[in-house]
Amino acid sequence: MTTNRAPSKIIPLAFPGIKPGEVEELIANSKVNTYPAETVLCRENAVETIFYMILEGEVEVTKLINQREARVLKTLRAGDFFGEMALIHNAPRAATVTTKSDVVVLELDKESFDRVLQHSSSVAMAMVKEISERLRQNDEMAIEDLRIRASELAQAYQKLAEQDLARHEFLTNVAHELRTPLMAASGYLQILQKGTLQGNQLNEAMDTVSRNIGQIVSLVNDILFLQEIELVLPAFQPVKMSEIAQDIVKKYEKQAAERGTHLKVRNERNIPPVNGDSKSLERALTALVDNAIKFSPRGGDIEINFERQKSQLAVSVEDHGIGIATDQLSRIFDRFYHLEKSGDDLFGGIGLGLAITRQVIEQHHGKLNVESKPGKGSKFTMILPLGSGI
Ligand code: CMP
């Protein structure tokens, strides 16, 4: 490749005020070389001793910000120079310089570079000006980078600390939740072992043992279910959510009535099936109904409502219970989050219900929305895609 850009025209662009004699000396001490694109002319941290001035083409100056990533500092063109820092500071290369196109350069070795620098004040001036500007830019980049890294580290640390806290809370809650029914069951078993209970007392003790063991089983099942849906992808089939809702109502009718609530299913006719896993979907809806009953300590109607929205199905569970404080709304789906107390009311549970529901809905490519007014009640809506072609 030959260049149209004569060194004698380019050199004064790089070193304003340079005298004709100095230009000639510079040319006499240098040689012109051509490199294809993607040639590395300076390698960061390498000890190299060539100075370059670009006559034609473009190079990119990059600097490593960690072991894998580099940042582009600048693109240099005809009339720009590079490779001066290592020569002036007697140091390894401060950056990597790679050709971006075919590039024609004027090259000087260290000896010639030193000689030109001593003889020409214009070259020396231009060097000092450019180097201080480049150093400033590199320092700024390093500081900016440190700032980004520090903030990333702080965020990661905060997340880890939060996860750790959640895990710790979870274990404490599990231990707590297990201990209550375990203590009750084992206490009654000890009395049963004595063989002194009879008639109604015997039946009552057996009922208590079985109810408490049932609670332990359902808690352990919830924990295992959450782990399972994270690891195993179920095979999806057409699922009739309206039938699931009716089954849940039948199952919970008695419990609801004991709390003074009344379960109703609305608009469930002619609702097409969704594509999904019926066991998981039943569990997701059950958790919403269970919560609705639990958080309605003063009773009231609980409605499971169906609404077809184009290619989606919205299934909502609405109660008239204690509602959710606005500042808690973003946390209620977190695993292990649970409300223990509201006013004088205490609530059991370890906060896996909504985490299960959200996980199931996400697995079905749906959405789970919540609207709530403290003291007025809550409405949770699962939006599920309707099965294709059914
Ligand atoms: P040197 O350290 O010898 O080799 C790499 C070259 O990249 C360096 O000299 C400069 O010429 C050039 N360089 C380093 N930092 C910058 C920057 N911020 N802007 C432009 N060029 C730079």
Side-chain angles (χ1 to χ4, degrees), residues 161-382:
E162 276 169 10
Q163 279 173 353
D164 204 47
L165 188 69
R167 232 166 272 280
H168 183 78
E169 274 177 11
F170 172 66
L171 280 178
T172 313
N173 282 324
V174 169
H176 226 75
E177 292 297 316
L178 281 175
R179 195 168 57 179
T180 317
L182 269 174
M183 295 297 278
S186 88
Y188 273 88
L189 275 175
Q190 276 176 22
I191 302 171
L192 283 168
Q193 263 177 335
K194 290 191 179 135
T196 50
L197 293 183
Q198 281 178 346
N200 266 354
Q201 278 185 326
L202 179 66
N203 288 342
E204 225 174 86
M206 297 285 267
D207 275 355
T208 311
V209 171
S210 117
R211 198 177 55 246
N212 282 288
I213 289 183
Q215 271 183 32
I216 299 168
V217 170
S218 84
L219 171 60
V220 173
N221 278 346
D222 273 0
I223 296 171
L224 290 177
F225 180 77
L226 255 176
Q227 289 209 311
E228 192 187 313
I229 49 175
E230 255 177 21
L231 300 174
V232 188
L233 254 189
F236 282 5
Q237 280 166 347
V239 178
K240 290 201 163 164
M241 288 305 290
S242 48
E243 285 176 10
I244 287 184
Q246 305 278 16
D247 289 348
I248 294 175
V249 166
K250 263 190 221 136
K251 209 164 108 192
Y252 274 83
E253 239 159 16
K254 200 165 149 242
Q255 192 180 321
E258 282 166 8
R259 297 280 278 178
T261 51
H262 181 59
L263 298 175
K264 289 182 192 164
V265 182
R266 291 207 186 282
N267 305 318
E268 75 280 21
R269 297 230 172 90
N270 304 324
I271 289 294
V274 295
N275 208 15
D277 175 58
S278 71
K279 197 175 128 225
S280 309
L281 288 169
E282 180 181 345
R283 209 143 183 166
L285 189 56
T286 299
L288 294 184
V289 172
D290 196 57
N291 275 345
I293 298 172
K294 184 157 91 183
F295 294 109
S296 300
R298 322 259 171 271
D301 283 349
I302 295 173
E303 274 180 20
I304 307 178
N305 190 50
F306 286 82
E307 191 189 337
R308 190 178 173 164
Q309 301 172 343
K310 292 185 187 153
S311 59
Q312 295 179 317
L313 174 64
V315 188
S316 59
V317 178
E318 185 169 9
D319 65 58
H320 299 92
I322 61 165
I324 303 159
T326 319
D327 63 341
Q328 298 295 303
L329 271 178
S330 62
R331 293 193 57 207
I332 55 169
F333 298 107
D334 289 354
R335 206 172 276 194
F336 322 136
Y337 171 83
H338 75 297
L339 181 74
E340 273 172 355
K341 196 169 183 300
S342 170
D344 293 332
D345 298 307
L346 292 173
F347 302 98
I350 57 159
L352 288 182
L354 283 182
I356 287 182
T357 306
R358 187 181 66 172
Q359 188 103 351
V360 169
I361 302 305
E362 277 175 7
Q363 200 180 40
H364 284 76
H365 313 293
K367 265 201 294 189
L368 180 58
N369 298 331
V370 55
E371 297 156 55
S372 185
K373 279 209 186 98
K376 299 258 184 262
S378 310
K379 181 177 176 184
F380 286 82
T381 308
M382 320 194 301

Side-chain angles (χ1 to χ4, degrees), residues 94-126:
T96 296
V97 181
T98 313
T99 57
K100 285 289 117 196
S101 58
D102 285 356
V103 165
V104 185
V105 286
L106 204 66
E107 290 181 11
L108 271 82
D109 59 22
K110 181 158 172 48
E111 235 173 75
S112 317
F113 177 76
D114 285 344
R115 204 175 313 131
V116 170
L117 205 60
Q118 268 176 12
H119 292 173
S120 167
S121 57
S122 307
V123 172
M125 281 288 291

Side-chain angles (χ1 to χ4, degrees), residues 42 50 61 73-74 76 81-87 92-97 130 133-135 137-138:
C42 300
I50 307 283
V61 184
L73 289 172
K74 204 152 195 179
L76 303 177
F81 55 82
F82 57 92
E84 76 294 346
M85 287 184 174
L87 303 201
R93 293 291 195 203
T96 296
V97 181
E130 196 58 44
E133 173 59 23
R134 288 176 180 183
L135 282 174
Q137 200 179 338
N138 296 3

